Amino acid sequence: MPRLSRKVAIVTGAAGGIGSAIATAFAREGAALCLVDRDEAGLADRVARLGAERCCACAADISDPEDVARATATAVDRYGRLDILISNAGIEGRVLPVTEYPIEDFDRVMAVNVRGVFLTLREAMPAMQRRGGGSIVITSSIAGLRGFAGLSAYSASKHAVLGLMRCAALEGAPHGIRVNTIHPSPIETRMMRAIEEGAAPGAADAAKTGFAARIPAGRYGTPEEVAALALFLASDESGFCSGGAYSVDGAMSAG
Ligand SMILES: NC(=O)c1ccc[n+]([C@@H]2O[C@H](COP(=O)([O-])OP(=O)(O)OC[C@H]3O[C@@H](n4cnc5c(N)ncnc54)[C@H](O)[C@@H]3O)[C@@H](O)[C@H]2O)c1
């Protein structure tokens, strides 16, 4: 029996590394999918790969309330319900000390990573409540559990969604809506390439070696390893798990 049979899921950031791996894992486990991203070409590519019978796309900016409402309506109109929200879209911002961090970049990181997640919860929770419950997984980060020099906006935004998750979990529990965060360490995607280059311009490979050495497992994780955790939290197997912060980080947060 597929683990997500008869489930309808929205995945934001679905054109990116982790979102794409989550969409692939969910499709394999029988979910009907609505993929959301601001990258329209990337979305079209994912839908072509996963098959248009059980997968649709909605190009949207998650920091825009109208876009998020349209994306949620796309899923509900097409499949008649919403069971799962993977609120995963995010941006890394710049790699600079607090004292040099441009205010407009700080605001944009907060707009996408915090306001964007808030907007997706705000739209998805009523839709889930109408059908008697659901599961929401927010992609935070190890930077949502501890600080990293140079990543103030990103780290602040990823801490903030922990608070959002905890409030939404309390509010959702009476309605059968579970809400959890996942906290990956560095994962092999475009985002880490950008952070490596930002931390050491022209020496990204050396930066990567340094970052990997700070992970007790000795390597970055893969998008598929993150997707496996998201799949567990999205599925009914995790029926009593809500309000939790789940690490997938090669023991990085243990030390
Ligand atoms: N890669 C890592 O090491 C890592 C570690 C911890 C957490 N994360 C988090 O995982 C999530 C996915 O990151 P990724 O590594 O797959 O990066 P990625 O850059 O490959 O994917 C992010 C996706 O989000 C989309 N996106 C960005 N802003 C958007 C917006 N305003 N509206 C709609 N879509 C938007 C991008 O187009 C992209 O497809 C992010 O929230 C990120 O912060 C990543």
Side-chain angles (χ1 to χ4, degrees), residues 16-18 37 60-62 88 139-140 154 158 184 187 189-190 192:
I18 291 173
D37 204 290
D61 177 346
I62 61 151
N88 165 79
T139 310
S140 176
Y154 183 75
K158 293 299 184 180
I187 303 296
T189 73
R190 181 215 63 82
M192 277 314 299

Side-chain angles (χ1 to χ4, degrees), residues 22 26 84 86 135 137 182 225-235:
I22 290 174
F26 282 21
I84 297 163
I86 306 297
S135 176
V137 180
I182 57 175
E225 287 169 324
V226 180
L229 176 58
L231 174 59
F232 168 70
L233 290 170
S235 77

Side-chain angles (χ1 to χ4, degrees), residues 107-153:
D107 288 346
R108 184 63 191 155
V109 170
M110 298 306 268
V112 176
N113 294 6
V114 185
R115 175 182 155 108
V117 169
F118 164 73
L119 292 173
T120 61
L121 296 177
R122 198 168 181 276
E123 289 294 330
M125 291 179 76
M128 290 178 173
Q129 192 173 330
R130 281 196 289 278
R131 61 150 295 274
S135 176
I136 297 174
V137 180
I138 300 166
T139 310
S140 176
S141 169
I142 185 155
L145 301 173
R146 47 158 79 175
F148 290 88
L151 287 178
S152 57

